[in-house]
Amino acid sequence: MNMETLKVFNEHRQETGVASREEVHQKGLWHETFQCWFVSIENGKPYVYLQKRSATKQDFPNLFDITAAGHLLSHETLQDGVREVEEELGLYVSFDELYSGGIKIDPVTLGNFVDREFAHVFIYNCKKDLHDFTLQQEEVSGMIKVELSEFNQLWEEKLDQVRITGFVVDEEGKAEELDEWVGTDAFVPHSKEYYQEIVQDMYDCLEDNGK
């Protein structure tokens, strides 16, 4: 099996070569990722859908994260990144259906793990229910939704907690309903400014789609 390699860049987004995923994170090399955030309208209110990362993930296990995301491999185009949605959620989405939020930068460091991404951000106006997804269990252990306005207020530090509803899947594949209140420590530690930018992208997407 061939080792997965990623394109690597300098801080000006000029390509400098390729490296393995492990080397990229050990050395904190700049690389590209694909992010697809789902927004949905329910009873006239927008919600953001988030995945729960598997307990077996090496980085940020059990935290809530981008609906679907992954690295762009060295041989892939940006359009190829949409495969992450089908792989992680079992849902086919056309690249043409996505609203572009542009490229965002938000380096994350956790011990020896340094993640410097040029993140290609996309928003998908989803018409499906959370329970319509088929999760890739080694990557994703659950799906939740949060009212978008409350999610925004959490990162604006106007709320200490938000209500999440959805489900988690156990090792046997059995789904258990989830309904609880959580704070910022339940989410992957992107900066509050990063989350606020994403929220604005979601509102822009809904306005562009005429809700």
Side-chain angles (χ1 to χ4, degrees):
M1 187 167 115
N2 293 331
M3 177 178 62
E4 287 187 352
T5 58
L6 313 178
K7 295 176 185 174
V8 293
F9 303 81
N10 62 23
E11 65 271 23
H12 305 297
R13 211 159 70 83
Q14 297 166 325
E15 189 174 340
T16 58
V18 299
S20 70
R21 186 187 302 235
E22 291 74 20
E23 184 181 1
V24 160
H25 290 138
Q26 286 170 0
K27 296 183 177 179
L29 303 176
W30 287 97
H31 58 287
E32 291 182 307
T33 59
F34 176 92
Q35 297 185 1
C36 189
W37 299 75
F38 282 26
V39 64
S40 179
I41 300 293
E42 185 177 315
N43 297 323
K45 292 183 178 180
Y47 285 79
V48 53
Y49 285 4
L50 300 165
Q51 67 165 257
K52 184 172 186 179
R53 296 172 67 84
S54 167
T56 60
K57 292 286 286 184
Q58 184 176 357
D59 48 298
F60 312 118
N62 292 319
L63 294 184
F64 297 113
D65 198 6
I66 304 155
T67 325
H71 293 85
L72 286 176
L73 303 180
S74 57
H75 66 277
E76 290 186 310
T77 66
L78 179 56
Q79 288 77 11
D80 291 327
V82 77
R83 65 171 167 75
E84 293 288 348
V85 178
E86 189 167 10
E87 288 177 3
E88 295 186 355
L89 308 181
L91 176 68
Y92 174 77
V93 172
S94 167
F95 186 80
D96 295 335
E97 297 178 89
L98 304 181
Y99 176 89
S100 175
I103 296 174
K104 292 184 170 46
I105 298 172
D106 182 43
V108 176
T109 301
L110 184 67
N112 293 326
F113 178 86
V114 182
D115 199 14
R116 291 194 174 101
E117 300 180 359
F118 291 113
H120 296 268
V121 172
F122 294 91
I123 312 297
Y124 177 61
N125 190 355
C126 183
K127 310 296 185 184
K128 293 186 177 293
D129 184 80
L130 287 179
H131 293 80
D132 293 331
F133 301 153
T134 303
L135 305 185
Q136 183 184 21
Q137 281 186 251
E138 60 268 28
E139 297 283 337
V140 185
S141 63
M143 290 294 300
I144 62 155
K145 64 183 179 183
V146 186
E147 192 174 328
L148 188 56
S149 62
E150 292 186 359
F151 188 67
N152 189 40
Q153 290 177 72
L154 180 69
W155 301 107
E156 288 182 338
E157 300 179 343
K158 294 178 180 177
L159 290 176
D160 292 327
Q161 292 186 317
V162 292
R163 183 187 179 191
I164 61 169
T165 58
F167 68 93
V168 291
V169 178
D170 63 22
E171 293 179 358
E172 285 74 42
K174 183 179 178 183
E176 177 183 340
E177 294 300 309
L178 198 63
D179 187 342
E180 57 189 52
W181 292 80
V182 300
T184 55
D185 59 349
F187 302 89
V188 170
H190 296 291
S191 70
K192 63 182 181 180
E193 292 81 10
Y194 189 82
Y195 278 116
Q196 288 170 329
E197 285 184 37
I198 298 297
V199 169
Q200 186 57 56
D201 289 337
M202 292 181 188
Y203 281 121
D204 290 344
C205 173
L206 291 173
E207 184 176 350
D208 188 64
N209 280 269
K211 296 193 178 181

